[in-house]
Amino acid sequence: MKKPRGVLIAGNWKMNHGLSETNGFFDILSAQSKAALPKNAEGLLKSGALRALVIPTATSLQTARNRTEKNPFPLAIGAQNAHGEKSGAFTGEISGPMLQELNIRWVLIGHSERRQFFGETDSSVRKRCEGLLSQGFHVMLCVGETRAERERGETFKILERQLSGVFAEPEKGAATFLDGRLVLAYEPVWAIGTGLTATPEQAEEAHQMIRKWLWDHFGMDASGRTPILYGGSVTPQNIDSLLACANIDGGLVGGASLKPDSFLALLAAGAKALS
Ligand code: 13P
């Protein structure tokens, strides 16, 4: 296989697609998948070499989860955020056990929109990651620099701070987090929703730095096993050149994941990268 960690295509729907749009998405996805996906995709999806994940808004989670049962190919559903505590006085939050009741195993944590607009910090992101990983979730942790930080030449410094912020206390067992349930997503903030995709060289450089950081802190196995996705204006048109990079193991896609035909085109690109 060309990509040792396979390919993961994750669609972050953000605050889009309520119940009727979610049902509409799955109606079209089921109807079109056979024609839109290459022949080898079914085997790759069944074996888990190619993984598909959709991350809807909270009120659409249950419907999306139910629809995956009849989907023609395996598709996981994830939540856009969750609290690290199992219950308590945390108005507006969702807990791990609540997601488990819906049979949801994936959670996105630390998205830049949570950090930028809702006051999430390295410390709150760490607590969410620790709580959810200890409850058995697959966690997709997002990191990435702003445009000003990149222009100041601080990209690596910011990534290092965000990673160390989450894994600040390895003695608390952070190393055990890297057991295959952690996925990292490099999403440069300046590339999100702007149409300004990072070049494959810019993305690969950041991914290499993240992989080296994992190696330095958790060793070769954890570093080699952890998928690192790229996010920020990924489209069916530009994904091939991103997936061609050795350290880019998939895409975390916003806008281009909202339409079933475009999501299928991203999965088709994943299958192509694996063949
Ligand atoms: P866009 O693909 O719309 O740029 O969004 C990226 C993103 O933030 C995914 O989490």
Side-chain angles (χ1 to χ4, degrees):
M1 192 197 299
K2 278 188 188 163
K3 312 279 294 175
R5 290 164 291 274
V7 169
L8 172 53
I9 302 293
N12 174 11
W13 285 357
K14 309 192 180 186
M15 200 173 69
N16 297 292
H17 285 2
L19 286 189
S20 64
E21 287 157 314
T22 298
N23 274 315
F25 178 93
F26 282 100
D27 288 343
I28 298 173
L29 194 75
S30 318
Q32 291 189 351
S33 67
K34 208 173 164 63
L37 294 175
K39 283 204 169 53
N40 65 338
E42 192 180 331
L44 292 167
L45 283 157
K46 286 206 169 123
S47 73
L50 176 61
R51 292 187 286 173
L53 173 67
V54 165
I55 310 173
T57 194
T59 56
S60 295
L61 281 172
Q62 185 166 14
T63 297
R65 178 68 193 82
N66 291 344
R67 293 300 305 260
T68 60
E69 277 159 24
K70 292 218 173 103
N71 198 53
F73 58 86
L75 182 117
I77 299 295
Q80 295 179 9
N81 200 12
H83 204 278
E85 296 292 329
K86 291 186 174 171
S87 64
F90 302 107
T91 302
E93 292 284 330
I94 295 172
S95 72
M98 292 167 187
L99 294 174
Q100 276 158 352
E101 278 191 311
L102 300 180
N103 214 3
I104 284 169
R105 305 270 172 251
W106 281 86
V107 187
L108 189 66
I109 295 291
H111 191 279
S112 65
E113 286 151 15
R114 299 298 317 168
R115 297 178 193 253
Q116 251 186 312
F117 305 131
F118 303 99
E120 296 259 1
T121 62
D122 290 338
S123 156
S124 68
V125 168
R126 172 167 65 88
K127 287 184 193 143
R128 289 178 192 271
C129 281
E130 282 181 356
L132 293 160
L133 284 165
S134 74
Q135 290 168 49
F137 282 92
H138 290 256
V139 169
M140 189 179 294
L141 168 67
C142 303
V143 294
E145 81 289 358
T146 62
R147 178 195 286 273
E149 288 160 349
R150 175 163 282 266
E151 283 169 359
R152 288 199 299 269
E154 291 177 0
T155 299
F156 285 7
K157 193 176 108 186
I158 296 300
L159 295 178
E160 160 94 46
R161 194 209 71 212
Q162 291 171 333
L163 292 165
S164 315
V166 170
F167 303 109
E169 298 165 90
E171 69 281 4
K172 270 197 170 174
T176 64
F177 293 171
L178 300 177
D179 65 359
R181 285 183 294 114
L182 185 72
V183 172
L184 293 174
Y186 169 61
E187 294 207 310
V189 179
W190 49 271
I192 295 178
T194 58
L196 288 174
T197 323
T199 63
E201 294 74 23
Q202 284 171 321
E204 174 66 8
E205 187 190 33
H207 284 227
Q208 277 174 11
M209 179 260 148
I210 293 169
R211 201 168 302 289
K212 179 168 184 318
W213 189 93
L214 289 171
W215 183 312
D216 292 346
H217 289 77
F218 301 110
M220 186 179 77
D221 282 357
S223 165
R225 196 183 310 134
T226 304
I228 308 175
L229 310 190
Y230 167 79
S233 298
V234 174
T235 64
Q237 288 71 44
N238 62 27
I239 194 167
D240 291 342
S241 57
L242 292 159
L243 290 180
C245 300
N247 287 289
I248 299 183
D249 306 308
L252 176 55
V253 189
S257 74
L258 289 170
K259 295 219 168 86
D261 56 343
S262 166
F263 187 66
L264 286 167
L266 294 163
L267 282 175
K272 192 170 125 198
L274 288 164
S275 45

